[in-house]
Amino acid sequence: MSHSHFEALYKTHHNWLWHWIRKRLDCADQASDLTQETFIKVLIQERAIELRAPKAYLSSVARGLLIDLFRRRSVEQAYLDALKEQPEQNDISAETRHSIIETLLEIDRMLDSLSERSRQIFLMAQLDGLSYTEIGRRLGISVNTVRKHFIRAMTQCLLMIED
């Protein structure tokens, strides 16, 4: 992408995009950050030269970034709430907390990549400790179907770990 095409896109749409994001956030600084991040994504993807509907494309990219931000906030809040419920407050470093939250976000993304059935079976086996037979009984499906979905989910986990 040529510098002039990107510069024109940025100058033409920066202010509009900042206001679009600002309406969805309660913080002007975060709106500025997400606006810049949106343009960086466009620059990296080298899409500015071929955009026929730049506002639609920019708002789509920004919407994805907003979803990521809200998801991160949600995971962080759930983690902080879980810590509050612990009988003994553990003092952990900011670095460790960041690492835990990043891991939880990766798990959340992995679970999002699974089909609804595979995710349900994976969580029933891993969190509830149910056997394939019990899962099959509860869901009204065969043990072989449970096994196939679980293997798919576990394979997806392992592939994400390798990445």
Side-chain angles (χ1 to χ4, degrees):
M1 164 189 342
S2 75
H3 177 71
S4 61
H5 282 102
F6 181 77
E7 187 176 355
L9 178 74
Y10 186 87
K11 284 181 179 178
T12 304
H13 298 289
H14 179 273
N15 197 38
W16 167 84
L17 184 61
W18 183 87
H19 285 287
W20 186 89
I21 294 171
R22 178 67 175 96
K23 280 194 293 189
R24 287 148 180 84
L25 291 176
D26 57 355
C27 178
D29 290 336
Q30 281 188 330
S32 294
D33 289 346
L34 281 179
T35 301
Q36 292 300 87
E37 197 171 334
T38 300
F39 281 104
I40 289 170
K41 266 192 141 170
V42 171
L43 180 63
I44 290 170
Q45 293 172 350
E46 299 182 358
R47 297 286 306 261
I49 200 164
E50 61 190 58
L51 292 180
R52 288 197 172 95
K55 285 185 177 181
Y57 183 73
L58 290 170
S59 62
S60 176
V61 172
R63 188 175 295 108
L65 293 171
L66 283 166
I67 289 168
D68 289 346
L69 174 69
F70 293 141
R71 175 178 281 162
R72 181 178 183 85
R73 283 182 182 173
S74 174
V75 168
E76 286 177 351
Q77 190 58 52
Y79 173 70
L80 292 173
D81 291 346
L83 278 181
K84 287 178 188 174
E85 292 179 18
Q86 296 296 317
E88 180 182 312
Q89 289 291 340
N90 295 328
D91 253 354
I92 59 171
S93 69
E95 182 180 300
T96 301
R97 191 170 110 214
H98 177 76
S99 177
I100 291 169
I101 290 171
E102 287 301 315
T103 302
L104 290 171
L105 286 168
E106 283 297 316
I107 292 168
D108 186 52
R109 280 190 282 277
M110 185 276 304
L111 290 172
D112 262 359
S113 72
L114 299 174
S115 69
E116 179 63 31
R117 178 59 53 98
S118 292
R119 179 176 39 253
Q120 185 180 23
I121 289 169
F122 180 79
L123 292 173
M124 290 174 89
Q126 294 298 308
L127 296 182
D128 300 333
L130 299 178
S131 68
Y132 292 169
T133 305
E134 181 60 30
I135 294 169
R137 192 171 323 152
R138 288 187 183 190
L139 299 178
I141 57 177
S142 72
V143 173
N144 281 339
T145 301
V146 171
R147 183 178 292 112
K148 286 177 188 175
H149 280 283
F150 183 81
I151 289 170
R152 253 186 240 137
M154 190 55 81
T155 301
Q156 186 69 26
C157 290
L158 294 173
L159 288 173
M160 288 189 77
I161 290 170
E162 286 179 9
D163 289 344

